Amino acid sequence: MDTQITNILSKKEMREKLLKPDYLSGSEILLRSLLLEGVDCVFGYPGGSVLYIYDAMHGNKDFRHLLTRHEQGAIHAADGYARATGKVGVCIATSGPGATNLITGIATAYTDSVPLVIITGNVPTSVIGTDAFQEADIIGITMPITKHSYQVRDVKDLSTVIREAFHIASTGRKGPVLIDIPKDVSADKTTFIYPEEINIRGYHSTIEPNRQQVEKLLGAVQEAERPVILAGAGVVHSGAHYELIEFVNKTQIPVATTLLGLDGFPSAHDLWIGMPGMHGTYTANTAIQNCDLLISIGARFDDRVTMNLKGFAPQAKIAHIDIDPAEIGKNIKTQIPCVGDIKSVLTLANSLAKPAQSEAWIEETSEKKRKFPLKYKDDDQVLKPQYVIEMIHETTKGEAIITTDVGQHQMWAAQFYKFNHPRSLITSGGLGTMGFGFPSAIGAQIGNPDRLVISINGDGGMQMCAQELAICAIHNIPVKVVIINNQVLGMVRQWQEIIYEERYSQIDLAGSPDFVKLAEAYGVKGLRAQTKEEAQLVWKEALETPGPVVIDFVVPKNETVLPMVLQGKTLSEMIMEE
């Protein structure tokens, strides 16, 4: 108790110190403002236009900065930090190429509604628009992939802009906000005043739902005989994990979770029916196709979930709960819209909810789960990738934070790792960004220093940001880096096999490095396994090693992710494992 009081007092004293109206440079104002926003780590890479900012960091013991080895690594790390903690992730880059190297990461965060504040330097205001050295119109370039953007032309505006940026990034439908700071603005001085409250004209999110719409939804639930809930990332973003469990228990509705919603509902729950879509379970896909009420909760009806829209949920009345009204009716005609924060909507719904008429339906879906489980052809002679994921799940009991890159391994992780808690799956869903998996794990680990963080990657995506192994070694960041190494671009190979009649083109990753030697070159332990026995031994060693470890699991080239629904087909037309 005494320690708690001491910590509260020290935080209060620190805040009072930071709020002092001192005469500061723009760079000092930036650092103070970030600390006042509760930022405990910034990921970045310096350059000419941000040198005043980096100079202000020198000797500032309260400010933590992690120097990545590429700007893409910085923004993916900030993204992983944000997804794993629920806080706003922050990264810094210089002007021109530094800023443009962030674009893929900004688009990744924008598509998946991740709260980031991105700080870029720019050339001095006097030469903006003259094609000065390392000048790029980062505001114009990123306008379609940010929630909002600022270019600060006067140092007096900087503290207010930072306050607004954090508010916009973290409220409503969350997303990335960019602050562009010309070099002279970072050097100019003014009296620091940090606004405690802000009011942004025209920016108002609908948090509390319309009660009549919620009652209409609950009326449909009571009438339904074959209802299904489609739960997406919005459940996690809203912190509505427990409210969803309560809603499911009260209404007795089976739940399918999207890729980004997998950690929003416990896989062990009796009413969980799996992930739907292109590589979804038989039970989830057939349930959606045969349901009479489909309730989307924080899911945006992505095309990889719906597949052929004309044949999606043909018998269902559609209800859609979302904080972003623009998503409702965008892809699927909706009969019952509920705009509001999901936690608020479900809290109201739970106070009124009654069970659906779903006893027979639950029995039917449960029977399908038993009859059509996810499976693969195991082989004692070779190491199967699905076996590796199952082994990781069994040894961690679903308690780890899992990050993935993009491709076959991502789908195997989604299928064979079972999640217990929200913010346990960090993956690029909407954009499908290769190179995301490993640096996002660094951010997740920084945000959760006491959790086990495992990054599952393909041998292709791992090579896009492998240089960030350096900071794992330097700072002893204990991420366990799993490589599912099939020596090809696996998902591309699978499509070429099934859709393009085995015309394999430009998928061979021969010449990739020896990942064990690569890890050792950075000062990180490297291990390899090619059989089940070796896999069990090296994975045990990895878990017992206190620092970072790279584990190269060598698997067959020709393994496919099944089930699979081809583009243009409906969820009823699945290619199944024999």
Side-chain angles (χ1 to χ4, degrees):
M1 186 64 179
D2 290 342
T3 304
Q4 285 183 322
I5 292 171
T6 302
N7 288 338
I8 291 169
L9 287 174
S10 62
K11 286 181 180 179
K12 184 179 179 182
E13 289 169 358
M14 172 64 75
R15 186 167 183 83
E16 288 174 352
K17 177 184 173 183
L18 292 172
L19 284 169
K20 283 179 62 179
D22 295 327
Y23 192 66
L24 304 175
S25 70
S27 298
E28 292 167 323
I29 288 171
L30 172 64
L31 301 195
R32 273 208 193 182
S33 300
L34 293 178
L35 290 171
L36 284 165
E37 288 293 339
V39 175
D40 50 32
C41 187
V42 171
F43 306 87
Y45 202 95
S49 290
V50 290
L51 284 186
Y52 285 117
I53 296 171
Y54 277 84
D55 186 56
M57 294 181 199
H58 185 73
N60 189 334
K61 296 178 181 179
D62 298 322
F63 192 85
R64 185 183 185 190
H65 176 279
L66 198 69
L67 173 63
T68 59
R69 294 304 183 263
H70 192 285
E71 291 89 354
Q72 186 174 352
I75 192 161
H76 289 334
D79 186 318
Y81 172 93
R83 296 189 202 221
T85 64
K87 302 177 183 177
V88 177
V90 181
C91 65
I92 299 178
T94 193
S95 64
T100 58
N101 277 344
L102 298 174
I103 288 172
T104 298
I106 297 172
T108 300
Y110 181 76
T111 308
D112 289 349
S113 304
V114 179
L116 297 184
V117 169
I118 302 111
I119 298 154
T120 56
N122 212 327
V123 299
T125 54
S126 60
V127 293
I128 286 177
T130 67
D131 296 328
F133 177 67
Q134 290 194 332
E135 181 189 1
D137 178 11
I138 195 64
I139 299 293
I141 292 169
T142 61
M143 191 172 291
I145 53 171
T146 53
K147 192 175 176 186
H148 193 65
S149 298
Y150 296 90
Q151 186 175 76
V152 185
R153 295 295 189 110
D154 190 328
V155 70
K156 293 184 178 71
D157 300 328
L158 184 56
S159 60
T160 300
V161 164
I162 296 166
R163 184 75 180 89
E164 288 183 0
F166 274 84
H167 178 70
I168 292 170
S170 61
T171 57
R173 180 175 182 169
K174 298 174 174 64
V177 178
L178 186 137
I179 305 173
D180 192 43
I181 307 175
K183 189 171 184 178
D184 54 321
V185 173
S186 67
D188 290 346
K189 291 192 171 185
T190 190
T191 301
F192 173 64
I193 300 173
Y194 201 65
E196 286 293 325
E197 294 186 10
I198 54 170
N199 183 23
I200 304 172
R201 187 174 64 184
Y203 180 73
H204 302 288
S205 300
T206 301
I207 303 300
E208 298 301 326
N210 182 303
R211 185 183 179 92
Q212 288 183 328
Q213 290 302 108
V214 174
E215 290 174 348
K216 186 177 179 181
L217 168 63
L218 295 176
V221 167
Q222 283 188 258
E223 294 173 2
E225 296 180 355
R226 302 186 310 280
V228 170
I229 290 171
L230 176 64
V235 173
V236 179
H237 293 321
S238 178
H241 175 73
Y242 294 112
E243 286 76 12
L244 178 58
I245 293 172
E246 182 182 350
F247 183 71
V248 171
N249 289 339
K250 286 187 172 182
T251 59
Q252 289 296 289
I253 301 177
V255 182
T257 45
T258 69
L259 174 63
L260 292 181
L262 280 172
D263 55 345
F265 190 78
S267 303
H269 197 287
D270 289 342
L271 291 177
W272 183 68
I273 56 175
M275 181 180 73
M278 178 176 279
H279 296 293
T281 65
Y282 179 85
T283 307
N285 283 350
T286 55
I288 287 173
Q289 292 303 89
N290 293 295
C291 70
D292 59 4
L293 174 65
L294 180 60
I295 307 171
S296 171
I297 304 179
R300 58 187 179 85
F301 292 114
D302 176 77
D303 61 290
R304 287 294 176 94
V305 170
T306 64
M307 302 310 292
N308 189 327
L309 283 173
K310 293 180 180 178
F312 177 74
Q315 304 173 45
K317 179 184 288 186
I318 306 293
H320 193 167
I321 304 171
D322 207 292
I323 198 166
D324 184 359
E327 284 297 339
I328 296 177
K330 185 179 81 174
N331 295 329
I332 298 290
K333 187 176 179 181
T334 301
Q335 285 77 41
I336 308 173
C338 287
V339 178
D341 176 72
I342 290 167
K343 192 180 184 79
S344 298
V345 174
L346 291 181
T347 298
L348 175 58
N350 286 334
S351 69
L352 305 168
K354 294 179 181 179
Q357 303 174 46
S358 55
E359 295 87 352
W361 177 239
I362 289 172
E363 186 176 334
E364 181 182 333
T365 56
S366 297
E367 176 61 23
K368 285 181 179 177
K369 276 179 69 176
R370 289 189 293 271
K371 192 174 180 180
F372 299 101
L374 288 167
K375 59 182 180 179
Y376 61 97
K377 293 178 182 176
D378 201 4
D379 191 330
D380 290 333
Q381 305 304 311
V382 295
L383 181 61
K384 289 295 187 83
Q386 301 95 326
Y387 175 84
V388 174
I389 305 299
E390 286 184 324
M391 178 187 68
I392 292 171
H393 174 259
E394 288 167 7
T395 54
T396 62
K397 309 300 181 186
E399 293 296 315
I401 294 175
I402 303 294
T403 80
T404 83
D405 211 85
V406 171
Q408 286 182 313
H409 68 275
Q410 179 188 34
M411 293 298 103
W412 285 318
Q415 290 178 336
F416 292 99
Y417 194 94
K418 307 305 179 188
F419 296 92
N420 301 330
H421 309 292
R423 303 196 180 281
S424 295
L425 174 61
I426 314 296
T427 191
S428 172
L431 200 66
T433 301
M434 289 183 69
F436 173 85
F438 172 42
S440 70
I442 294 171
Q445 188 75 82
I446 293 295
N448 296 270
D450 299 325
R451 293 281 303 276
L452 172 63
V453 177
I454 301 168
S455 181
I456 301 175
N457 306 268
D459 47 321
M462 183 62 196
Q463 295 181 71
M464 293 189 174
C465 284
Q467 67 278 355
E468 305 307 337
L469 283 167
I471 61 175
C472 284
I474 292 166
H475 300 284
N476 197 35
I477 301 170
V479 173
K480 311 307 176 190
V481 184
V482 170
I483 301 172
I484 304 296
N485 186 354
N486 60 3
Q487 302 92 50
V488 295
L489 290 171
M491 191 60 85
V492 179
R493 186 210 62 79
Q494 177 169 331
W495 280 48
Q496 289 178 348
E497 175 190 343
I498 296 172
I499 303 171
Y500 295 90
E501 300 175 342
E502 299 184 9
R503 294 190 295 275
Y504 300 118
S505 177
Q506 305 302 319
I507 57 168
D508 188 358
L509 291 181
S512 295
D514 180 323
F515 288 107
V516 172
K517 290 182 178 178
L518 180 67
E520 291 171 347
Y522 280 106
V524 172
K525 177 181 279 191
L527 303 168
R528 179 177 293 112
Q530 300 182 70
T531 67
K532 285 183 176 181
E533 184 179 2
E534 290 175 352
Q536 291 170 357
L537 290 172
V538 300
W539 183 241
K540 183 175 185 291
E541 183 178 350
L543 290 177
E544 292 173 350
T545 300
V549 185
V550 172
I551 314 98
D552 182 20
F553 291 104
V554 181
V555 301
K557 293 182 179 181
N558 60 351
E559 196 72 15
T560 55
V561 181
L562 295 175
M564 182 179 183
V565 180
L566 301 181
Q567 285 188 319
K569 302 294 185 180
T570 69
L571 294 181
S572 303
E573 301 171 277
M574 284 174 279
I575 301 172
M576 300 289 292
E577 180 73 55
E578 292 180 5

